[in-house]
Amino acid sequence: MQNQSQANDFGTANSDTYDRVSISLHWITAILVVGLYLLAEIWGFLEKGTPPRHALQALHVSLGLVLTVVIALRIPWRAFAGRRLPQATPGLLGYAGTAVHYLLYVLLIIQIVLGFLFRWAQDESLSFFGLFTIPSPFVFSTEQRHNFGELHETIGTLIIIIAAGHMAAALFHYYVFHDSVLGRMIPRLNRLNRKV
Ligand code: HEM
Ligand code: HEM
């Protein structure tokens, strides 16, 4: 029977790495998540109601819609089409790593839903760079708006903390264990190491 890790090639150099689509979706997600968080941090320094603050918030919503599409593609790809690799580390540590990945997926979905609800509760449609808008199908109270905002902020911070731990683990694998786990998401690293 075909090994799970060899089941799907999609153009990557070898079967020790994720396929190209999974790798692209992973790095696009990472850039968007960090960018969305930084935008919120930056507008926090700007005075309420000013045009630059509004512009950053509008950019946050537009990029949030891009993240929505990326995650909507990534999850089915991960479930049905992308290459699956065996656990990076054997035993409990490996299960912990996998649990963190699932947790990140769940938190990202919750964060996206909250982003939509928060915008709608602000009595505004979600606008994608002014090209089209997604109006609210619901009516919300001020209290709900407040709750969505608080939750969206808390989960945003949680995602960044967990992603930072996840990044630290990946770098630890590379610099301390000297194994090829980071190379699964950066195939070039494995090729470089083979040449040495
Ligand atoms: C906000 C940023 C990030 C998010 C949300 C994120 C999320 C994820 C998720 C959900 C997976 C599981 C992939 C799967 O099996 O479907 C994953 C895998 C991985 N990520 Fe990230 N990631 C982020 C940033 C990073 C960074 C900065 C690095 C490296 C410095 C990194 C390195 C890796 C590696 C090496 C794997 C594969 C681990 C394995 O095969 O067990 N990630 N990431
Ligand atoms: C992981 C991704 C995301 C992170 C880390 C994040 C983070 C944040 C943070 C920290 C705030 C500030 C909260 C406050 O000060 O009350 C915020 C506000 C907001 N976010 Fe997100 N967010 C993400 C994704 C999204 C998505 C996908 C959407 C919707 C498509 C969205 C829509 C909003 C809206 C509408 C606001 C309020 C902006 C305003 O006050 O006008 N966010 N976000």
Side-chain angles (χ1 to χ4, degrees):
M1 216 175 81
Q2 213 177 13
N3 182 312
Q4 241 190 345
S5 67
Q6 293 167 334
N8 195 341
D9 261 332
F10 292 101
T12 39
N14 62 69
S15 60
D16 306 331
T17 66
Y18 285 95
D19 58 280
R20 252 182 219 166
V21 175
S22 300
I23 293 173
S24 306
L25 291 172
H26 173 269
W27 290 113
I28 295 170
T29 307
I31 292 167
L32 283 172
V33 168
V34 173
L36 285 165
Y37 186 77
L38 288 179
L39 281 174
E41 287 302 301
I42 296 168
W43 84 57
F45 290 107
L46 304 176
E47 216 173 297
K48 280 191 180 164
T50 52
R53 187 175 158 115
H54 275 306
L56 293 185
Q57 287 167 334
L59 182 59
H60 182 92
V61 172
S62 298
L63 294 179
L65 289 175
V66 177
L67 179 69
T68 308
V69 173
V70 169
I71 295 298
L73 294 172
R74 186 169 175 184
I75 289 175
W77 182 264
R78 168 70 167 80
F80 305 115
R83 184 187 291 155
R84 298 189 195 170
L85 298 180
Q87 223 162 260
T89 322
L92 220 58
L93 213 61
Y95 286 114
T98 308
V100 167
H101 297 159
Y102 283 117
L103 182 63
L104 280 170
Y105 281 127
V106 171
L107 289 176
L108 285 171
I109 294 168
I110 295 174
Q111 184 69 342
I112 287 168
V113 172
L114 282 169
F116 274 69
L117 293 176
F118 190 22
R119 192 46 146 194
W120 286 334
Q122 290 172 322
D123 266 344
E124 278 191 59
S125 305
L126 287 113
S127 168
F128 183 73
F129 294 110
L131 295 175
F132 63 86
T133 56
I134 308 175
S136 175
F138 314 108
V139 178
F140 297 102
S141 66
T142 314
E143 197 194 344
Q144 282 173 318
R145 184 184 71 200
H146 179 75
N147 292 340
F148 294 148
E150 292 267 298
L151 272 174
H152 189 74
E153 192 175 5
T154 308
I155 291 180
T157 310
L158 200 61
I159 289 173
I160 293 298
I161 292 171
I162 295 172
H166 162 78
M167 179 183 82
L171 295 177
F172 203 78
H173 271 283
Y174 188 70
Y175 288 108
V176 180
F177 295 156
H178 301 292
D179 62 21
S180 59
V181 170
L182 186 55
R184 290 171 161 208
M185 276 299 175
I186 314 176
R188 182 193 289 254
L189 276 184
N190 287 349
R191 288 198 288 276
L192 284 176
N193 287 343
R194 271 189 208 112
K195 279 188 196 144
V196 180

